């Protein structure tokens, strides 16, 4: 748990290394950070807040959907890419930026025996689950858009699955030769539900924009598309809507009406890109 990743953590106030002192992490400058009873530690800067994080309801929906195995092909492809990158890349921490419940990080750690994993997310509701997702995961509350609470060049691998990405910070925490594995939806992802339910769609230029933003910091090192068909019940559809960004933008009454008009089960396309970028 946290003790596995403590050597890689940095104070969010002064960027110095943190050392354990009972149920507190302290830096040489005297800043202290208490470990929550649920097993995670908050390394947010003093003026940051968690209001933009996933809610308890969104986290519960994601946990249920992922536990049912609907996205297993994505987790398998990510674990395979992680094993390939680690075979020739440096060791060190596996950091998951926007880790959520720790589902994908746990799957990757199963493929990388002995490697410690840091689940980084701004949602404490998600990290309560991530702290229990694997015995080598340590869970840390932080803001992806600010300096990450990790030491320079501490990670051999960074994961980023359906989450915000901070190119300069990812480069800083990666070791030379380290790899970012980024999973993003293609425009075909959940397209049947986007049309039928009026959900948020994926920009046709999304991958190009990702490449442009990461380009100054990391070098593309290959990609593959993972596409498969889901057969979802009405409850599954309700769950997948509730766990993603459309949960913030969908009227519940209108959604219920549109859900009632769907066949059951409904066939839905899952389509993502697993892209590698190297420092």
């Amino acid at each position: 748990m946290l003790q596995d990743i403590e050597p890689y953590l940095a104070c969010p106030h002064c960027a110095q290394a943190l050392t354990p002192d009972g149920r507190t992490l302290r830096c040489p400058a005297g800043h202290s950070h208490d470990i929550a009873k649920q097993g995670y530690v908050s390394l947010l800067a003093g003026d940051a807040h968690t209001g933009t994080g996933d809610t308890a309801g969104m986290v519960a929906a994601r946990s249920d959907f992922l536990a049912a195995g609907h996205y297993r092909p994505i987790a398998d492809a990510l674990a395979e890419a992680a094993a390939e990158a680690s075979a020739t890349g440096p060791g060190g921490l596996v950091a998951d930026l926007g880790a959520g419940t720790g589902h994908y990080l746990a799957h990757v750690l199963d493929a990388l025996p002995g490697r410690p994993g840091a689940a980084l997310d701004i949602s404490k509701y998600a990290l309560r689950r991530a702290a229990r997702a694997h015995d080598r995961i340590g869970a840390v509350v932080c803001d992806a858009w600010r300096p990450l609470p990790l030491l320079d060049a501490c990670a051999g691998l960074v994961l980023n699955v359906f989450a915000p990405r901070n190119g300069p910070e990812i480069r800083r925490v990666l070791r030379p030769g380290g790899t970012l594995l980024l999973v993003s939806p293609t425009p075909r992802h959940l397209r049947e539900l986007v049309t039928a339910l009026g959900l948020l769609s994926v920009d046709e230029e999304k991958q190009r924009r990702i490449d442009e933003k990461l380009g100054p910091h990391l070098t593309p090192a290959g990609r593959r598309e993972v596409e498969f068909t889901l057969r979802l019940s009405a409850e599954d559809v309700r769950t997948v809507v509730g766990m993603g960004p459309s949960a913030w933008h969908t009227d519940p009454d209108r959604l219920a009406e549109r859900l009632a008009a769907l066949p059951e089960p409904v066939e839905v396309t899952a389509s993502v890109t697993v892209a590698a970028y190297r420092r």
Side-chain angles (χ1 to χ4, degrees), residues 127-279:
L127 292 179
R128 289 171 182 172
R129 296 175 186 258
R132 306 191 304 270
H134 196 282
D135 59 7
R136 282 183 276 124
I137 286 180
V140 179
V141 181
C142 67
D143 187 343
W145 299 116
R146 297 188 179 218
L148 299 176
L150 297 174
L151 297 173
D152 293 352
C154 69
L157 189 64
V158 172
L159 311 178
N160 184 256
V161 184
F162 302 131
R165 62 208 67 86
N166 184 335
E169 278 299 288
I170 292 171
R171 175 181 171 80
R172 181 185 66 79
V173 304
L174 273 174
R175 293 179 173 178
T179 299
L180 164 67
L181 292 177
L182 191 153
V183 179
S184 59
T186 78
R188 299 182 298 281
H189 188 57
L190 305 182
R191 60 185 174 187
E192 295 85 357
L193 299 183
V194 169
T195 301
L197 303 179
L199 307 183
L200 296 176
S201 61
V202 177
D203 181 0
E204 293 283 346
E205 297 296 316
K206 184 176 182 70
Q207 189 61 53
R208 180 186 61 78
R209 290 189 294 102
I210 290 173
D211 289 343
E212 286 181 352
K213 288 184 178 180
L214 292 177
H217 314 291
L218 302 166
T219 302
R223 68 184 55 168
R224 59 172 291 196
E225 287 195 356
V226 180
E227 188 163 302
F228 52 98
T229 300
L230 300 166
R231 290 175 58 85
L232 303 179
S233 68
E235 184 57 31
D236 292 333
V237 173
R238 193 174 294 109
T239 301
V240 77
V241 173
M243 76 184 204
S246 289
W248 298 102
H249 304 281
T250 305
D251 177 79
D253 293 334
R254 182 173 297 178
L255 176 63
E257 292 176 6
R258 292 176 173 176
L259 275 172
L262 290 178
E264 189 172 0
V266 59
E267 292 195 348
V268 179
T269 302
S271 180
V272 304
T273 299
V274 181
Y277 302 84
R278 190 161 291 130
R279 175 178 173 183

Side-chain angles (χ1 to χ4, degrees), residues 33-101:
H33 310 275
D34 294 336
I35 299 171
K37 63 181 180 181
Q38 295 92 347
Y40 65 85
V41 64
S42 177
L43 295 181
L44 284 171
D47 60 343
H49 60 85
T50 60
T52 58
D54 290 346
T55 65
M58 293 172 71
V59 169
R62 181 176 299 115
S63 181
D64 291 346
F65 191 84
L66 295 176
H70 295 301
Y71 280 178
R72 180 63 184 259
I74 299 175
D76 287 344
L78 183 62
E80 180 180 341
E84 291 173 357
S86 297
T88 57
L93 183 70
V94 180
D96 190 349
L97 183 56
T101 63

